[in-house]
Amino acid sequence: MRLSWLFPGWTLISSASAYQNTTISPNCQNACQLLQVAFGPTAVQYFAQDNFTIWDAKQQEVRYACRFEPSNTTDVAAGLRILTGAWCNFAVKCGGHSRDPDFSSSVGGVTIDLKNMNGVEAANNGTRARIGGGAVTADVYAALDARNLTFAGGRVGSVGVGGFATGGGTSPLASRHGWAIDSIYEYELVLPNATVVTVDEHQHPELYWALRGAGGGNFGIITSFVIQNFPQGQLYAGSRAWNGNYTERVIDEVYNLYTSQDNNSNMSLEYYYGYVARSDNYSLAANVRYYDPVEDPQVFDRLDSIPAIARSQRNITLGNLAGPGHIPATPPPLRHLFQTTTNFPSREWLQNSLRIFREEIGEVKSVEGINPQLITYPIPSRAIRGMTVRGGNALGLNGVQGPLFVTLLSTAWASAEDDARVGEFYDRVFKKLEDSAQSLNVYHPYKYIGYGRLGQDIFSSYGEANNERLVQVQESVDPQGIFTSGGLCHGGFKLR
Ligand SMILES: Cc1cc2nc3c(=O)[nH]c(=O)nc-3n(C[C@H](O)[C@H](O)[C@H](O)COP(=O)(O)OP(=O)(O)OC[C@H]3O[C@@H](n4cnc5c(N)ncnc54)[C@H](O)[C@@H]3O)c2cc1C
Ligand SMILES: *[C@@H]1O[C@H](CO)[C@@H](O)[C@H](O)[C@H]1NC(C)=O
Ligand SMILES: *[C@@H]1O[C@H](CO)[C@@H](O)[C@H](O)[C@H]1NC(C)=O
Ligand SMILES: *[C@@H]1O[C@H](CO)[C@@H](O)[C@H](O)[C@H]1NC(C)=O
Ligand SMILES: *[C@@H]1O[C@H](CO)[C@@H](O)[C@H](O)[C@H]1NC(C)=O
Ligand SMILES: *[C@@H]1O[C@H](CO)[C@@H](O)[C@H](O)[C@H]1NC(C)=O
Ligand SMILES: *[C@@H]1O[C@H](CO)[C@@H](O)[C@H](O)[C@H]1NC(C)=O
Ligand SMILES: *[C@@H]1O[C@H](CO)[C@@H](O)[C@H](O)[C@H]1NC(C)=O
Ligand SMILES: *[C@@H]1O[C@H](CO)[C@@H](O)[C@H](O)[C@H]1NC(C)=O
Ligand SMILES: *[C@@H]1O[C@H](CO)[C@@H](O)[C@H](O)[C@H]1NC(C)=O
Ligand SMILES: *[C@@H]1O[C@H](CO)[C@@H](O)[C@H](O)[C@H]1NC(C)=O
Ligand SMILES: *[C@@H]1O[C@H](CO)[C@@H](O)[C@H](O)[C@H]1NC(C)=O
């Protein structure tokens, strides 16, 4: 039975956690003991012995052998040696924003939680910063905000840089600074054989290319990043909400902004179209930003000529906008599903996507706690052009005529009993979204890994040549296949 999160301190007992009976292998019991001997009791936590909280309920339910919390690169390498020596499965966690078990919460094995490795040090007179492999977005914004600097960070403070800045990293600043992976100068990486290497344009260039796009978890454990900083003080941040009468007009105007302002490097926006179970209707909201503190930026005048039911605006730093870095234990986490698709701009497709969402919502209206949000925003031409720097990245978007539209359907719900129903809703919606894109001749195969659903063929979507090249890089650094679907670190989107 599920207990309400209205009662703080009560724990969520999911009706049928598939993991409550996971047995811990002797190998992993042994590994946890060895880790504890090597690093002491504070670096090793056992399941259910503290208030460990991770973003998604499906990962929260996972029964792991123990959690190892290394404090530096040497410890990560030594810990990895212990795990491979004991032949115990493991998962690597940064911000923990994945949606499936074993991505960053190990089923029956060891979760290597990098949370203590979250330092941020400005370097080169503030043009760069070195950040720990366990830093979350809020850690980086906070350190840089204080110096009127920023980076190509994301929208939510608790998202880990580890997953974000290896898969793509779509930023509210993308129209000025591109995607996060294209402003990373260097990775420090613990290879599968526990050797520590510095990966940059000149040292291990193949790995440098591969790390920028393949997500975490295919080549080893990243213990630090060197990122590019940008000057940034407060920015203008607004939000708007409209009633259902204005949906089509708003989407039309959003389309105009996404396309006509493609090369405007002063602003960004995105909308959220949701189903509201409480009132059995739909919500439409948008976040708008102008990168200087101003009053009523003119670029949003036409959008603002549409009557809104709510409108707010403020001057704020990105760190304050993105919010805190921690995941609170109450309310307990919900279950989530993400899935993504990409297409070339089409006004008609954008309008169709909302209609498709409404057509298919019926079956999941009664899902307890359902909160689906359909989000489409552009990959600006600026960001696509930025994908060629320092040898390019692995995403396969070089030379594509921008902007592209990337779509995320993000749904939260409460109970495991509804997992299949939500999954089938996604199957139907994405079939129709992609059929619509195909028939309008605006389909693009690219799938953003950060918004990927398990089972989506992310790496094929980068193009066959890139996929093969990524697999080759993986094989060359991991001949034993430790970080593959058949290996010890088998969760997440794997190249092989
Ligand atoms: C609420 C929310 C908001 C989001 N907002 C944005 C956004 O604005 N822009 C955007 O682009 N994306 C966004 N995302 C998507 C997000 O970038 C991805 O889900 C990303 O993978 C999360 O990274 P993480 O470190 O938090 O997750 P984790 O689950 O900790 O990690 C993801 C994967 O990377 C691996 N990994 C993480 N760190 C390391 C490391 N140091 N070394 C090796 N492997 C590692 C993990 O093992 C795991 O397989 C958002 C997601 C959520 C849930
Ligand atoms: C876990 O084990 C108990 C006792 O054997 C059993 O009743 C229960 O159904 C199992 N749960 C799952 C999800 O398999
Ligand atoms: C977990 O949280 C509860 C409630 O906040 C607190 O009373 C308890 O001491 C915490 N337990 C641990 C091990 O931190
Ligand atoms: C790494 O952290 C450990 C504590 O776990 C400490 O003993 C060790 O000196 C640190 N090593 C380095 C190189 O900082
Ligand atoms: C920082 O800038 C000053 C002045 O330009 C220069 O003298 C100094 O060498 C720079 N330091 C670094 C670390 O680049
Ligand atoms: C940051 O910019 C603001 C506004 O221009 C200024 O008041 C403040 O002193 C600056 N802070 C730093 C550390 O430079
Ligand atoms: C949805 O319905 C509720 C209650 O009837 C109403 O208050 C709200 O304004 C409606 N929302 C929209 C976006 O139409
Ligand atoms: C749409 O407009 C009409 C007329 O103003 C109004 O009665 C109705 O409530 C509006 N619909 C919504 C969803 O707000
Ligand atoms: C943006 O600039 C690029 C390069 O100059 C150009 O190819 C593209 O068409 C421009 N986009 C728009 C919408 O004008
Ligand atoms: C962006 O801002 C700069 C500096 O304020 C300004 O010169 C430029 O014209 C703006 N660009 C657009 C497209 O508004
Ligand atoms: C943001 O700051 C500018 C410059 O100080 C000011 O003119 C404007 O009114 C502020 N905007 C908001 C929304 O507070
Ligand atoms: C570890 O793997 C790397 C990459 O394959 C290789 O160059 C290095 O020689 C290996 N080190 C050891 C000690 O085996």
Side-chain angles (χ1 to χ4, degrees), residues 412-425:
W413 71 100
S415 165
E417 284 157 26
D418 293 315
D419 289 3
R421 210 148 44 116
V422 174
E424 288 155 13
F425 164 63

Side-chain angles (χ1 to χ4, degrees), residues 181-183 201 208 212 385-393:
I181 50 172
D182 302 307
S183 58
E201 190 182 355
Y208 182 63
R212 289 175 304 138
R385 283 197 303 274
M387 294 185 183
T388 57
V389 296
R390 295 185 293 277
N393 67 39

